[in-house]
Amino acid sequence: MASVPNNYEINVAKNGTHWCKIQLPDTFEVEAEKKLKQIREIFGEEYHISMTYWNCYGNIKDGWK
């Protein structure tokens, strides 16, 4: 069954406007913060760079199984 995988998402914005999104797989746990720092260095101070970890999971209610 296909599902939405856990992942890291780095968002880049300039002047409050979304510019781009970079997704890193869940397996990048050790590297994610290093990548965030690298991207902040590349884009510089005029861009707002943030990172979110998406923990995606499903729920099965009683009677659904």
Side-chain angles (χ1 to χ4, degrees), residues 24-65:
L24 303 170
D26 190 40
T27 56
F28 271 59
E29 181 177 0
V30 174
E31 295 292 318
E33 288 191 33
K34 290 178 188 176
K35 298 291 183 193
L36 176 65
K37 183 178 177 185
Q38 288 175 334
I39 291 168
R40 284 181 171 161
E41 290 172 359
I42 291 168
F43 281 91
E45 294 292 322
E46 63 185 284
Y47 289 84
H48 175 75
I49 315 293
S50 63
M51 183 166 66
T52 303
Y53 178 73
W54 291 96
N55 189 1
C56 304
Y57 60 92
N59 290 317
I60 298 175
K61 293 184 178 182
D62 290 339
W64 285 7
K65 209 171 189 183

Side-chain angles (χ1 to χ4, degrees), residues 11-20 45-49:
N11 288 292
V12 179
K14 184 174 182 181
N15 298 326
T17 302
H18 177 75
W19 197 76
C20 74
E45 294 292 322
E46 63 185 284
Y47 289 84
H48 175 75
I49 315 293

